[in-house]
Amino acid sequence: MIFEKKFLKKKLKNQPSVRDNSLENAIHLIDEWMTDESGYDEEVYPEIENELNKNQVSF
């Protein structure tokens, strides 16, 4: 994960058109998700998966 952060930050610095810190905000958000141990995702994911399976597109 550290390598990816360094790579993304370096890539961001090389792009002069980027003027905000949205990439850093996204990295921070993902870090929060990775350290979350509340169990919320394990509780909610089965419900989301069921709904996604109900609405699959068939050809």
Side-chain angles (χ1 to χ4, degrees):
M1 188 70 163
I2 294 172
F3 173 76
E4 290 89 354
K5 285 183 189 179
K6 288 181 182 178
F7 174 78
L8 292 173
K9 286 181 181 181
K10 184 176 180 181
K11 190 170 183 174
L12 178 66
K13 287 179 184 177
N14 292 334
Q15 295 182 6
S17 63
V18 177
R19 295 187 181 133
D20 61 34
N21 60 350
S22 59
L23 178 60
E24 288 158 351
N25 289 343
I27 291 170
H28 178 70
L29 182 60
I30 291 169
D31 284 344
E32 285 183 26
W33 288 343
M34 296 298 290
T35 60
D36 180 87
E37 296 182 6
S38 68
Y40 177 77
D41 54 337
E42 289 89 355
E43 179 183 329
V44 174
Y45 182 75
E47 296 175 30
I48 294 170
E49 184 178 32
N50 286 336
E51 293 302 316
L52 290 172
N53 288 333
K54 284 182 192 176
N55 296 310
Q56 286 184 352
V57 175
S58 60
F59 293 97

